[in-house]
Amino acid sequence: MTKSAITQISLDTLAPGQHAVICAVRAREDIRRRLQELGFLPGAPVDCLMRAPSGDPAAYRICSAVIALRREDAQGIRIAFQSPGRTESEVLSHAT
């Protein structure tokens, strides 16, 4: 498997009902630290539960908690879809 085999997208593009794995958190230091405290860490599974009718904010399940994030904060979180048969460590080892 090559590095290009795994496509990363930002968390704000995850649709309700979709599941992914967090690869990286790229944000201002204070925002990044707060997101990490909430459980948005590389390797953590994340689910999009719902979006507001306007599309912003969205609710995500992470570490057994439901967290609502604004689109601008979710854009700094990079995710990858976990394919069947591919472990989280394989996803993370190919993500940058």
Side-chain angles (χ1 to χ4, degrees):
M1 182 180 330
T2 64
K3 192 171 199 172
S4 61
I6 296 176
T7 302
Q8 288 186 32
I9 59 173
S10 59
L11 182 60
D12 69 305
T13 61
L14 196 65
Q18 289 184 317
H19 316 282
V21 176
I22 296 177
C23 296
V25 178
R26 298 178 183 150
R28 275 190 353 239
E29 180 64 26
D30 56 335
I31 301 294
R32 183 180 58 77
R33 188 176 313 118
R34 182 65 181 138
L35 289 170
Q36 289 175 332
E37 289 170 353
L38 291 169
F40 291 90
L41 298 166
V46 61
D47 305 317
C48 182
L49 301 178
M50 66 182 89
R51 291 194 181 283
S54 65
D56 195 24
Y60 302 96
R61 180 180 302 126
I62 184 106
C63 299
S64 301
V66 176
I67 307 291
L69 290 181
R70 295 175 297 178
R71 178 171 282 131
E72 70 180 79
D73 293 328
Q75 287 174 338
I77 301 171
R78 305 300 294 173
I79 60 170
F81 291 104
Q82 185 172 353
S83 302
R86 184 181 292 163
T87 67
E88 289 175 16
S89 60
E90 288 175 318
V91 170
L92 290 174
S93 69
H94 291 88
T96 56

